Amino acid sequence: MSAESGHDEALAEAVRLRELRTPQAHERLLSLAAGHPGHAGIAYQTAWAHDSLGLEAQAVPFYQRALDGTGLPAEDRHGAFLGLGSTLRVLGRYEEARAVLGRGLTEFTDDAALRTFLAMTLYNLGEAREAVSTLLKVTAATSADPGIQAYRRAVEHYADRLDETE
């Protein structure tokens, strides 16, 4: 068995434990991350484990490692942008959160989840108009509600014209 397949199997087992929400997952992922500091997948799963335990501040460097590394599948890369942006927002690091979510949107253009967390961040930054506009656009684009869809064009039109009156 190669070293690569050995830590991939160990990572798969740690992810399984994390999904089962077992206490061993956190310790196992920390050990893997220490032994493989350049492995983006391990860093991402370790960040996720920290977040799920409410250890947001400790998750940040692992998210950053995951995004700085190579070989992270697109779905996990998306999750790392979302996780890091959301975590930075929760920690009150709003400008950093905006930058991370913006970077995520350059790779995952128009992603509703990234845009929603960006809207929350914009609100925290005192940019309520831009936050509401972003949320209206996300709602118009993603809602299956027949009432929203009936007025989708109007919602999209006025999303950038919230203060316009006749």
Side-chain angles (χ1 to χ4, degrees), residues 19-83:
E19 289 170 347
L20 294 172
R21 299 181 187 266
T22 65
Q24 300 90 353
H26 185 248
E27 292 84 24
R28 179 125 0 131
L29 284 162
L30 278 173
S31 176
L32 280 170
H36 305 283
H39 193 287
I42 292 171
Y44 172 57
Q45 293 298 330
T46 305
W48 192 344
H50 279 82
D51 255 351
S52 66
L53 292 172
L55 303 171
E56 288 86 0
Q58 292 93 326
V60 170
F62 291 104
Y63 279 128
Q64 290 168 331
R65 239 197 275 176
L67 289 170
D68 291 343
T70 59
L72 197 61
E75 182 179 346
D76 289 349
R77 191 158 173 81
H78 173 266
F81 277 120
L82 193 57

Side-chain angles (χ1 to χ4, degrees), residues 5-166:
S5 65
H7 69 66
D8 285 348
E9 288 176 18
L11 175 59
E13 176 63 14
V15 169
R16 188 183 69 72
L17 291 171
R18 180 190 49 75
E19 289 170 347
L20 294 172
R21 299 181 187 266
T22 65
Q24 300 90 353
H26 185 248
E27 292 84 24
R28 179 125 0 131
L29 284 162
L30 278 173
S31 176
L32 280 170
H36 305 283
H39 193 287
I42 292 171
Y44 172 57
Q45 293 298 330
T46 305
W48 192 344
H50 279 82
D51 255 351
S52 66
L53 292 172
L55 303 171
E56 288 86 0
Q58 292 93 326
V60 170
F62 291 104
Y63 279 128
Q64 290 168 331
R65 239 197 275 176
L67 289 170
D68 291 343
T70 59
L72 197 61
E75 182 179 346
D76 289 349
R77 191 158 173 81
H78 173 266
F81 277 120
L82 193 57
L84 180 56
S86 170
T87 296
L88 290 169
R89 190 192 76 77
V90 166
L91 294 171
R93 294 163 61 179
Y94 306 128
E95 289 293 348
E96 291 174 83
R98 180 196 338 229
V100 166
L101 294 165
R103 275 182 46 217
L105 284 165
T106 64
E107 289 187 35
F108 303 95
T109 310
D110 294 327
D111 180 79
L114 288 167
R115 291 179 73 203
T116 300
F117 279 90
L118 178 60
M120 288 188 271
T121 302
L122 292 169
Y123 173 83
N124 294 129
L125 287 166
E127 298 178 27
R129 181 176 292 111
E130 185 64 26
V132 170
S133 174
T134 300
L135 286 176
L136 286 171
K137 291 173 188 174
V138 169
T139 300
T142 62
S143 178
D145 182 277
I148 298 293
Q149 287 308 305
Y151 293 98
R152 179 178 177 172
R153 290 179 65 202
V155 171
E156 290 173 335
H157 175 78
Y158 288 112
D160 290 325
R161 298 168 181 85
L162 291 169
D163 295 317
E164 270 186 23
T165 58
E166 294 276 326

